[in-house]
Amino acid sequence: SQSLTTTPTPKNFQSFTVKRIDTTSTHGTGCTFSAAITAYLARGEDLIDSVRLSKEYVTNAINKAYKIGNGNGPLNHFFK
């Protein structure tokens, strides 16, 4: 299964896909994704690169998340 993100461009759409991670550690993914896009834009990246880099960041943060508590747990924003 794939995780798909689609971003509008002035002339078309750009899609980004990664393998979906089987986890419940997804609490905060939307907020983290939007904040990462904003941060990359502020650093001077263009929109497409900002979305691509943010998708990579969120995917890694999900993949490196600790399994804590019950239900949907948080991402690991501090992975390395």
Side-chain angles (χ1 to χ4, degrees):
S1 172
Q2 298 288 312
S3 172
L4 172 67
T5 298
T6 303
T7 302
T9 65
K11 296 182 181 180
N12 210 338
F13 290 90
Q14 177 73 42
S15 295
F16 304 89
T17 58
V18 295
K19 183 178 179 189
R20 184 175 298 275
I21 301 166
D22 185 21
T23 185
T24 58
S25 297
T26 56
H27 184 79
T29 54
C31 295
T32 300
F33 187 56
S34 64
I37 292 170
T38 302
Y40 281 117
L41 288 170
R43 288 176 51 179
E45 300 289 344
D46 66 27
L47 178 61
I48 297 303
D49 285 339
S50 294
V51 173
R52 178 183 54 78
L53 291 166
S54 297
K55 181 100 172 149
E56 291 174 10
Y57 173 76
V58 170
T59 299
N60 283 319
I62 292 169
N63 197 37
K64 303 288 185 180
Y66 297 103
K67 306 290 183 200
I68 57 173
N70 295 319
N72 288 9
L75 311 177
N76 180 0
H77 293 95
F78 306 108
F79 71 89
K80 278 290 176 178

